[in-house]
Structures are given as structure tokens and as C-alpha cells.
């Protein structure tokens, strides 16, 4: 490890990590190592398809990573910032000059709901989708299935299972809370057409889960041979365990150049980054551009230049409702929904193209670093000011 050949370690091989690693190749002098616990890339936006049995959701890193990116299949246990080392699960140690923290997000079930940890199936990681898929293969198609959570993951999971012919009930306070009113109606209409029973309302709350039922706080019971849990995303605890400053959820706290507030040689991207304590929505739409911008911050520091601040905007939310229907919510640059949306088969086509494009962009960045582009803007100053004003009000 010398000043002539700076070594950058990227922890996490998801959307942010892969694009960050590939973009680092813009500087031919940089040595790049990507650390990921799995040997293949996980298409998280397709895990509901994997669970339903109509898609694999795994891609070969050999096709996604540039030739100069070294892949280390291992877990990261601790970051020792004082001596610039990453301790790996295998016992090995990686030295680094700069580190990009792109560990992504996790999913689970709340300990506060009795029986959920034992009987419910989360759906946010590859192994969780594998487990759910195996369970569904042992359950008759006519058996009742309950999906808890009406966010985008819950909508896509419920619709995928229903389209396969399963008896699905979706339980939530609001279906598609992040969507506008018109787009939400489009989603509900498509779910209903697929035969999904929707149990929703402001007072809807799951009290407990058993092997055969979901017990509601209002005293009602829903039969459930398989309960799928799609709420409650979190992040790995690596940053906090390493003594780095995090936000309340455990995301690495950074400045607007995505640099850790503790160490200028540690940069974060994706779901586990919290720039100015005002994180972007957890999504591949945010993760990809953040990965490239994190890489640009590292490259700027290597060149002795001042890194640029975060500059990206949202364009919308794409939701598949089975393989046939979909809804595309057009948004303002700050991610708030507009009145405009696209529904039906056209939206399903758009969503599929978006899913395919994520891998296409990675492959292109691997071959031609610097080719990736994204929507810019978003008015971060206003977002940060509003978030701080809300924090004071609470």
C-alpha cells in the first residue's frame, strides 16, 4: 500500500457498492477491493419474484464488475479507522487508504409482536426470499397467505403471490402510503383485480402471529398458513460497532459529500448512509447515484481536490402489481408525489425496463467508468432545513 497506488475498499456489493467500485476505475492508479458476504449480486428489487418462484434474483459478479475490481467474498466484522483496517469474518484483515461504506439495509420482524420472529417470513434479503420460497413450495396453493405491510415491498409481494393463484390477504394501515392519491387507487384496483383481499385502516394493527393465524389488535383473526412480513427495514450495525457516529437507525452519519463526520477517509453510500442526518429514501434509485458520488468523493480526495456535495433528485416510484399490471408514480425532485401517474400494462412494462436497466448500467459502468448518469437537483438545503425544523418541533 503506497501513495502511488491508493487502495480503496468498498464494503457491500449491492447497487451502491457495485457502481462505486466500477466508477473508481476512472483513476487507473487506484487499487479496488469489493467485500461482499455472497458470491453473487442480489437483485433486491426482484426478491418478491424469487419468493414466488418466477425469477432467480441473482446475477454473476463477473458480468457486473470491472476487470480491475477484486472481489473478496467475506463479511466485514469491524472497521478500525485508526489504523485503516477492515477485520473480516474469516479472520483476514484488509488495509485501506479509503473506504466506501455501502452495506445496504436489512429486514426483519419486530420483537414487540409476539410470535412474529418465530412464524413470520421477512422479505428483504436473498436468504429470506429463499426461505420463503421453500416454505411456499410446501404449502397448498389454496392455503391462506397474509402479507403484513402495504409499502412497495408488500404490494409487490402480495400481487406476485396472488397472480400465481394463491389466496392472499394484505394487512396494512395504508396501501402505498408513499404514493399520491390517484396512484394509490391504481394500485388498489390492480390488487383487487388479482384477487387480493385488503384489510386496511388507520387502526389496523397486528397484535401477534401464530403458525396458523394472524391476531389483530381489534380482536379479529385472519387464517394464515404463511405470514409474510414486509415492514421494519433497518441497517447492519457495522458502523456503530466500529465506534463510528450513526443516526438513530444506525446509518453512518456523513456530511453532504458523503464523508463520515469522524473520518475523512471513510465515505458512505446507499441505504446505510445518512448525509447531514437527512437520509434519502431507501431505494436502488437513490443507491446507484450515491455510489458514484461516493466514488467521486474518494477520487477527489486522492487528487487533492475538494469533493462535490450530494446532488441527485428522484423521478418517481415504479411498482409492479404482478407481471401484468403496475403503477408508476411520477414525483417531484424531492421525492414527493405529483398528481401524475401511469397505470396498467404500460406501467408494468416501464417497471420491467427499469429493473433490467439497473444491471445494464452496472455492466456499462464496469466497461466504461464515467458513463453512469442520474437526475440531479432535489434542493438538499431546503430538505435539511425542513427536517431540522421538524426535529425541533418534536
Amino acid at each position: 500500500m503506497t501513495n502511488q497506488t491508493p487502495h480503496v475498499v468498498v464494503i457491500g456489493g449491492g447497487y451502491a457498492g457495485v457502481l462505486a467500485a466500477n466508477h473508481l476505475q476512472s483513476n487507473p492508479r487506484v487499487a479496488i477491493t469489493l467485500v461482499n458476504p455472497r458470491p453473487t449480486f442480489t437483485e433486491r428489487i426482484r426478491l418478491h419474484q424469487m419468493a414466488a418462484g418466477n425469477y432467480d434474483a441473482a446475477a454473476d459478479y463477473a458480468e457486473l464488475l470491472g476487470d480491475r475490481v477484486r472481489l473478496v467474498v467475506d463479511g466485514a466484522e469491524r472497521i478500525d479507522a485508526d489504523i485503516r483496517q477492515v477485520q473480516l469474518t474469516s479472520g483476514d484483515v484488509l488495509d485501506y487508504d479509503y473506504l466506501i461504506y455501502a452495506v445496504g439495509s436489512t429486514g426483519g420482524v419486530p420483537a414487540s409482536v409476539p410470535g412474529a420472529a418465530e412464524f413470520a417470513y421477512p422479505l428483504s434479503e436473498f436468504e429470506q426470499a429463499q426461505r420463503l420460497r421453500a416454505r411456499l413450495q410446501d404449502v397448498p396453493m389454496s392455503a391462506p397467505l397474509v402479507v403484513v405491510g402495504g409499502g412497495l415491498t408488500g404490494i409487490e409481494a402480495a400481487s406476485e403471490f396472488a397472480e400465481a393463484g394463491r389466496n392472499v390477504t394484505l394487512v396494512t394501515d395504508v396501501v402505498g402510503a408513499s404514493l399520491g392519491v390517484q396512484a394509490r387507487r391504481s394500485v388498489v384496483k390492480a390488487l383487487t383485480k388479482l384477487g387480493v383481499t385488503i384489510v386496511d385502516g388507520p387502526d389496523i394493527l397486528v397484535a401477534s402471529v401464530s403458525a396458523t393465524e394472524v391476531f389483530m389488535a381489534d380482536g379479529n383473526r385472519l387464517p394464515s398458513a404463511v405470514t409474510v412480513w414486509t415492514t421494519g427495514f433497518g441497517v447492519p450495525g457495522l458502523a456503530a460497532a466500529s465506534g463510528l457516529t450513526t443516526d438513530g437507525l444506525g446509518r453512518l452519519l456523513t456530511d453532504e459529500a458523503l464523508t463520515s463526520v469522524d473520518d475523512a477517509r471513510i465515505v458512505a453510500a446507499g441505504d446505510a448512509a445518512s448525509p447531514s442526518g437527512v437520509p434519502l429514501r431507501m431505494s436502488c434509485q437513490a443507491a446507484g447515484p450515491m455510489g458514484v458520488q461516493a466514488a467521486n468523493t474518494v477520487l477527489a480526495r486522492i487528487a487533492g481536490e475538494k469533493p462535490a456535495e450530494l446532488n441527485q433528485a428522484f423521478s418517481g416510484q415504479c411498482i409492479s402489481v404482478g407481471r401484468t399490471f403496475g403503477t408508476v408514480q411520477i414525483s417531484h425532485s424531492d421525492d414527493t408525489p405529483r398528481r401524475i401517474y401511469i397505470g396498467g400494462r404500460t406501467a408494468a412494462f416501464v417497471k420491467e425496463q427499469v429493473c433490467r436497466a439497473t444491471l445494464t448500467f452496472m455492466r456499462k459502468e464496469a466497461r466504461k467508468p464515467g458513463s453512469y448518469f442520474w437526475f440531479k437537483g432535489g434542493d438538499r438545503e431546503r430538505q435539511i432545513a425542513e427536517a431540522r425544523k421538524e426535529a425541533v418541533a418534536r
Side-chain angles (χ1 to χ4, degrees):
M1 186 170 66
T2 67
N3 290 331
Q4 282 75 34
T5 309
H7 182 209
V8 183
V9 171
V10 181
I11 302 179
Y15 298 100
V18 168
L19 279 165
N22 284 340
H23 190 72
L24 287 167
Q25 296 178 115
S26 301
N27 185 333
R29 297 189 300 106
V30 174
I32 310 154
T33 299
L34 177 70
V35 179
N36 194 69
R38 303 181 188 91
T40 56
F41 175 83
T42 298
E43 289 189 74
R44 288 189 68 181
I45 55 178
R46 291 194 187 266
L47 286 179
H48 58 286
Q49 289 184 250
M50 178 182 170
N54 63 41
Y55 196 85
D56 185 39
D60 192 345
Y61 276 121
E63 298 179 0
L64 300 179
L65 293 174
D67 294 338
R68 291 180 42 230
V69 179
R70 179 173 71 109
L71 175 65
V72 173
V73 181
D74 208 335
E77 293 295 313
R78 181 176 172 82
I79 300 165
D80 196 328
D82 291 337
I83 57 175
R84 297 179 199 157
Q85 284 188 341
V86 179
Q87 299 174 16
L88 303 179
T89 304
S90 64
D92 291 340
V93 173
L94 285 176
D95 296 312
Y96 67 84
D97 291 296
Y98 292 90
L99 183 143
I100 295 181
Y101 186 82
V103 298
S105 56
T106 60
V109 294
S112 59
V113 179
E118 182 179 1
F119 299 111
Y121 291 76
L123 182 58
S124 63
E125 299 176 30
F126 189 81
E127 292 78 11
Q128 293 172 349
Q130 279 184 319
R131 177 172 169 256
L132 176 55
R133 180 172 179 169
R135 172 59 180 156
L136 290 173
Q137 289 173 345
D138 291 335
V139 174
M141 294 294 289
S142 59
L145 187 157
V146 173
V147 176
V148 179
L152 305 193
T153 300
I155 292 167
E156 295 191 326
S159 60
E160 208 74 38
F161 301 144
E163 190 175 69
R166 292 194 175 275
N167 176 11
V168 181
T169 298
L170 178 64
V171 176
T172 183
D173 53 352
V174 179
V175 177
S178 63
L179 307 176
V181 174
Q182 294 81 5
R184 202 175 301 153
R185 288 173 182 162
S186 171
V187 168
V188 170
K189 181 179 178 180
L191 286 170
T192 303
K193 192 169 184 178
L194 288 173
V196 176
T197 300
I198 300 174
V199 178
D200 65 340
D203 299 322
I204 293 298
L205 185 68
V206 174
S208 64
V209 180
S210 75
T212 59
E213 290 181 302
V214 172
F215 299 85
M216 309 303 295
D218 60 8
N220 288 325
R221 299 182 178 187
L222 299 174
S224 180
V226 181
T227 300
V228 183
W229 203 278
T230 67
T231 67
F233 285 89
V235 296
L238 176 61
S242 301
L244 299 169
T245 303
T246 62
D247 68 7
L249 192 66
R251 290 170 287 219
L252 184 66
L253 190 62
T254 75
D255 63 14
E256 283 297 292
L258 299 176
T259 305
S260 166
V261 297
D262 302 306
D263 192 319
R265 290 178 178 264
I266 298 177
V267 181
D271 291 354
S274 183
S276 302
V278 184
L280 280 67
R281 173 169 56 86
M282 290 182 175
S283 63
C284 67
Q285 183 179 176
M290 289 179 76
V292 174
Q293 290 175 95
N296 279 336
T297 290
V298 170
L299 293 172
R301 290 224 162 84
I302 290 172
E305 301 170 354
K306 181 180 178 180
E309 293 189 346
L310 181 66
N311 184 1
Q312 70 184 78
F314 286 88
S315 58
Q317 300 178 59
C318 299
I319 309 102
S320 62
V321 189
R323 297 296 86 209
T324 306
F325 305 104
T327 297
V328 177
Q329 169 68 72
I330 310 300
S331 73
H332 295 279
S333 62
D334 65 357
D335 203 30
T336 56
R338 295 178 181 268
R339 292 176 60 87
I340 308 168
Y341 78 95
I342 304 169
R345 295 178 184 273
T346 301
F349 174 80
V350 171
K351 172 60 187 290
E352 179 60 26
Q353 299 314 302
V354 168
C355 289
R356 293 183 183 184
T358 58
L359 298 186
T360 299
F361 290 151
M362 289 180 192
R363 296 187 187 105
K364 188 174 182 181
E365 188 68 17
R367 297 191 305 269
K368 187 180 178 182
S371 62
Y372 186 79
F373 65 92
W374 65 93
F375 294 102
K376 297 180 180 179
D379 197 357
R380 283 289 294 173
E381 289 187 6
R382 180 180 60 80
Q383 294 170 35
I384 293 168
E386 289 181 354
R388 289 174 177 169
K389 189 180 298 183
E390 290 177 7
V392 170
R394 288 197 298 267

